[in-house]
Amino acid sequence: MAKILPFKAVRPIRAKAGLVASRPYEDYSAEELTAQLEHNPYSFLHIINPGYKFQQNLKGGQRFQMVKNRYLEFKEEGTFIRDKKPAYYIYKVKSRGSSISGIIAAASAEDYKEKVIRPHEDTIKDRELLFKDYLKTVGFNTEPVLLTYPDNQDINCIMREVMKSRPEYEFATPNRETHYLWVIDQPGLIEKIQKEFENTSQLYIADGHHRCASSYRLARESREANAGHTGEEPYNFFMSYLISESNLKIHEYSRLISSLNGHSKEEFLILLDENFRIENRGLEVYRPSHKHHFNMYLDGEYYSLYLRKTNYEFSDSLRKLDAYILYQKVLKPILGIEDLRNDKRIAYTHGRNDLIELKTRVDSGEFAVGFGMLPVSIEEIKEIADENLTMPPKTTYIEPKLRSGLTIYEF
């Protein structure tokens, strides 16, 4: 039974929502970041990059405190206001050819502990602790954890009806997306949505594993420090964006490797032949159409690689995963890459980028070979999570990617 609650969001006033909202910080080039900070005083980037005001590169606890200070300034100036009633928030992102809608709400940290909310990726303890300390200092959360749930016709019906009304926010962005936000604060609708999630046995983390784990650490630490703990305090929850499984967009990550680990091209192909049926496609761009098929770009030519299944045992959901097969049969034994997170010889490009990027980066000499595969399915994600297994790093690139600063959860 999932505990998904409405909350009183801190939000920008309607007139400034489009100016406040920002992409994730790491998505900006240095030039873009400078332009935003110089020319848009309302950008949320001023909060998450507080050192700009003093032309200082801040780190650690000092930066965390300055983030809080900038946030308080936005509230004091009236750019941010807090809703007077708890609400759910429908957030819709519309781009050319697609439209994705979900509900922003507060999810239970205890549900994460009890595996009602299930992960499929590993987290790094140091990152968990760092972000927990950040949350504790700033006292708010602005990047929701992306959770997915089985399609629910009752929730879909409520969302469709609400989205017939005028949205609280509607603004376009330079990447040709339009963003919408509706506020659901009617008690009857809130009760219906809450009950539907209570009848949901499992939710799955699609994106935001470290944010989820850090929020649980903060909840546990806050509970231990509070003698009057009830379980209903805001620190027991974290902001989430809940999206139905059919609405989720999952892309793959391609792998780029800087060298053949001392092998010649011919030696490399012979080593691959032990576990794959190889076909040289020449200049024909090859895209896999089945699981356990891979595309490879090497020395100006495309290849298709089909796993020889007689040489491989599919003993669990992880071993069925193409990213894991590529690691076990190519990256680790042939190319010598064991640490997928930290080895400098490997890089990743997500599937929203065309395969031409993979070709371009290999042709430039930056990389020696590139590999691609089909995206992971939601069924594979759920199987991995249900078996308490974890995917290799950079297995999924999941959309939507929300704008920061539109709803803020305080604790």
Side-chain angles (χ1 to χ4, degrees), residues 15 17 26 42 111 182 193 314 340 343 374 386:
E26 61 274 8
Y42 300 112
D111 281 354
W182 289 266
I193 293 172
F314 298 101
L340 293 173
D343 197 312
L374 284 178
D386 290 344

Side-chain angles (χ1 to χ4, degrees), residues 20-294:
V20 169
S22 72
R23 305 197 312 269
Y25 181 80
E26 61 274 8
D27 279 6
Y28 290 88
S29 67
E31 293 77 14
E32 285 181 300
L33 185 61
T34 298
Q36 282 288 318
L37 292 170
E38 284 185 358
H39 302 296
N40 181 4
Y42 300 112
S43 173
F44 193 75
L45 292 169
H46 285 283
I47 293 176
I48 56 180
N49 187 24
Y52 176 78
K53 182 175 182 179
F54 303 102
Q55 298 300 305
Q56 295 290 318
N57 185 21
L58 304 176
K59 295 182 179 180
Q62 185 183 43
R63 175 179 173 271
F64 299 166
Q65 185 58 51
M66 292 291 285
V67 167
K68 182 176 182 179
N69 293 348
R70 295 288 81 72
Y71 172 66
L72 292 175
E73 286 176 6
F74 270 53
K75 291 180 72 175
E76 291 160 1
E77 293 166 357
T79 301
F80 283 151
I81 57 172
R82 190 179 188 193
D83 284 333
K84 295 179 179 170
K85 297 189 291 184
Y88 292 115
Y89 304 87
I90 297 177
Y91 189 174
K92 174 181 175 181
V93 182
K94 185 177 180 182
S95 59
R96 289 177 293 183
S98 70
S99 176
I100 301 174
S101 305
I103 296 176
I104 295 175
S108 167
E110 190 68 15
D111 281 354
Y112 174 72
K113 176 191 173 186
E114 298 299 327
K115 299 294 185 181
V116 175
I117 296 174
R118 297 188 175 183
H120 65 267
E121 290 182 3
D122 265 334
T123 53
I124 300 170
K125 183 178 178 181
D126 287 348
R127 286 185 62 188
E128 288 183 26
L129 292 172
L130 180 66
F131 194 60
K132 183 266 295 179
D133 291 341
Y134 168 82
L135 293 174
K136 185 177 181 180
T137 300
V138 302
F140 65 84
N141 188 328
T142 188
E143 292 188 16
V145 175
L146 182 58
L147 301 177
T148 188
Y149 60 91
D151 284 57
N152 182 303
Q153 290 305 313
D154 290 328
I155 293 178
N156 290 344
C157 183
I158 292 171
M159 291 176 65
R160 283 195 298 269
E161 287 301 310
V162 171
M163 288 190 290
K164 290 178 182 178
S165 62
R166 181 191 180 191
E168 177 72 10
Y169 302 148
E170 179 180 2
F171 60 90
T173 53
N175 61 345
R176 299 180 183 270
E177 290 180 345
T178 306
H179 296 252
Y180 308 83
L181 187 88
W182 289 266
V183 179
I184 303 177
D185 58 9
Q186 301 93 326
L189 292 181
I190 285 176
E191 183 180 1
K192 289 179 181 179
I193 293 172
Q194 188 170 334
K195 283 186 175 179
E196 289 302 322
F197 282 119
E198 286 176 355
N199 292 329
T200 303
S201 57
Q202 268 89 41
L203 303 171
Y204 295 87
I205 302 175
D207 192 25
H209 284 76
H210 280 91
R211 294 193 295 275
C212 194
S214 301
S215 296
Y216 171 68
R217 284 184 175 273
L218 177 64
R220 186 178 63 186
E221 183 177 295
S222 301
R223 180 179 68 237
E224 292 170 353
N226 182 7
H229 172 82
T230 66
E232 299 302 318
E233 296 88 351
Y235 61 68
N236 292 293
F237 302 88
F238 56 89
M239 189 164 65
S240 59
Y241 182 58
L242 295 112
I243 186 169
S244 64
E245 292 174 3
S246 64
N247 219 0
L248 203 63
K249 308 297 181 187
I250 307 174
H251 304 278
E252 76 282 8
Y253 271 100
S254 297
R255 274 78 169 125
L256 290 155
I257 316 300
S258 63
S259 76
L260 298 183
N261 197 30
H263 303 298
S264 68
K265 172 185 173 181
E266 293 72 22
E267 291 169 340
F268 180 57
L269 290 172
I270 289 171
L271 291 170
L272 286 177
D273 189 72
E274 180 180 351
N275 291 298
F276 299 90
R277 192 171 85 248
I278 305 171
E279 183 177 343
N280 188 328
R281 304 276 180 154
L283 298 179
E284 174 193 354
V285 178
Y286 170 70
R287 297 177 184 272
S289 57
H290 295 85
K291 290 293 182 183
H292 317 320
H293 291 187
F294 304 84

